[in-house]
Amino acid sequence: MTFYDFDQVPDRRSSDSVKWHAYAEDVLPLWVADMDFVSPEPMIRALHQRIEHGIFGYPTGLMNSPKEISDFRQTLIDHLYNLYKWQIEPEDIILMPGVVTGVNLACHTLAEPGAAVIIQTPVYPPILHAAETTGLIHQEMELTLNSDGSYSVDRDAFENSLTPETRLFILCNPHNPVGRVFRPDELTHMAQACLQQGVTIVSDEIHCDLIYNGYPHTPVAALDAEIARQTITLIAPSKTYNIAGLQCSFAIIQNRDLRHRYLKARKGLVPWVNLMGVVAARAAYEEGQEWLDQLLAYLEANRAFLYEYVNTELPGIKMWKPEGTYLAWLDCRNAGIPGNPYQFFLDKGRVAFNDGVTFGQGGEGFIRLNFGCPRSTLAEALERMKRALEGL
């Protein structure tokens, strides 16, 4: 067994890290969904082996033809079946350079004059702006904030939000930023409402591997065949194994006609997937489970540490434990902070989070905190927050 030291603090300021270069050097960044952990050793080894070959031409298995059934596609098929008992075929898999690309391509696929896209706020900004980005009508419903800080979907409100113009529902599950891992009954209700209205579901499931004990992830397309026929599922190893820069993700579309429309919309716009991303993804899915198990244990301990600190040391700030992701959604509305809490902690604490306002309706007064970092980094950020609040 290999022991991975997640307490190690890597030097990322000497790399091309957007996370560590977006702010001044005295600012501690806990914002973008990018962990400060070294990726699994088998993945790094696989990349070294590929680099040593020295030639980086077009690889097999990346073209979206059923005739090209690569070992990598079979790796992904086995991975999804082992996790969810979800059976897909090689031709269902479309390789993409990123999930955001996949979301926008889905909008282009279903674009028609007067078509609308519905989303649930607060939500990941590229989802929030997908309709605007692709020239469609923006529709939204706000998730229900419960008294304990958790979020739920008002079923009647969701059904009433679907209109004759709605063509696409962008689901985020596990949800970014509120941390919900939606239950099968919640997913079934939303999916059935979409089926009745002829609405296609685009499900961003990029955080599906980053879930905590007691909250199993269910792909919405795995619920039943009818739902699968009306769903585009987007997944990637990038958040799980910290390889966003290698640009490799997947769209899974089990409806042949929908898949062909998606591929047609892609032509001339979406490039080949990064070869090194494919190498890393295959190594991660085949040999990365030991690293992932240790990572999840570390993240769960970070989550507990963060939850305890917020509730005992940061008066007026409220946190609900996320069921998935390594992102905490902090409610700062009762902390007596003058103005925007994101700007307050940046100016007075020299720590950078994501501004809740950027996640849309329901985000004002909140910040998103990335606890995918060594414990010492997290502790230092929290101490800075505490001192900033004491300064009030």
Side-chain angles (χ1 to χ4, degrees), residues 1-4 6 40-42 45 241 283-298:
M1 176 177 176
T2 302
F3 172 75
Y4 291 97
F6 295 104
E41 188 278 331
R45 177 170 16 99
Y241 298 98
Y285 288 143
E286 291 183 348
E287 302 181 78
Q289 190 61 47
E290 185 176 72
W291 180 91
L292 180 56
D293 289 343
Q294 294 180 44
L295 170 73
L296 289 173
Y298 193 89

Side-chain angles (χ1 to χ4, degrees), residues 173-323:
N173 180 42
H175 194 280
N176 173 9
V178 308
R180 278 299 317 281
V181 177
F182 291 115
R183 301 185 309 269
D185 65 294
E186 295 174 297
L187 295 170
T188 298
H189 177 268
M190 290 187 282
Q192 291 297 337
C194 288
L195 291 181
Q196 291 170 11
Q197 298 292 332
V199 175
T200 299
I201 302 166
V202 175
S203 187
D204 172 1
E205 303 186 12
I206 195 170
H207 292 278
C208 62
D209 295 314
L210 296 164
I211 57 175
Y212 301 108
N213 289 327
Y215 304 101
H217 174 72
T218 301
V220 66
L223 290 170
D224 68 44
E226 186 180 9
I227 294 171
R229 282 193 294 271
Q230 207 153 310
T231 299
I232 298 170
T233 303
L234 300 168
I235 61 173
S238 53
K239 300 300 181 187
T240 307
Y241 298 98
N242 214 30
I243 53 171
L246 296 183
Q247 294 188 303
C248 178
S249 68
F250 325 102
I252 300 171
I253 309 176
Q254 294 171 276
N255 180 324
R256 183 179 65 178
D257 292 338
L258 180 58
R259 185 167 64 247
H260 287 174
R261 290 176 64 189
Y262 195 81
L263 288 169
K264 184 177 181 180
R266 170 181 178 158
K267 288 183 177 178
L269 295 174
V270 179
W272 287 63
V273 173
N274 188 316
L275 166 62
M276 305 311 288
V278 174
V279 170
R282 182 177 178 185
Y285 288 143
E286 291 183 348
E287 302 181 78
Q289 190 61 47
E290 185 176 72
W291 180 91
L292 180 56
D293 289 343
Q294 294 180 44
L295 170 73
L296 289 173
Y298 193 89
L299 289 177
E300 194 148 6
N302 265 7
R303 184 187 64 157
F305 175 78
L306 172 62
Y307 180 78
E308 177 68 19
Y309 195 100
V310 168
N311 285 318
T312 59
E313 302 294 336
L314 303 182
I317 296 183
K318 186 175 183 179
M319 172 193 164
W320 175 76
K321 283 187 180 179
E323 298 167 346

Side-chain angles (χ1 to χ4, degrees), residues 124-163:
Y124 180 50
I127 292 177
L128 178 68
H129 300 295
E132 177 187 358
T133 301
T134 55
L136 301 179
I137 297 171
H138 174 86
Q139 295 178 329
E140 65 180 56
M141 66 158 291
E142 188 175 343
L143 293 170
T144 300
L145 175 58
N146 303 309
S147 59
D148 65 352
S150 66
Y151 284 80
S152 57
V153 180
D154 184 314
R155 298 189 177 194
D156 290 337
F158 181 75
E159 291 182 14
N160 293 333
S161 296
L162 301 177
T163 71

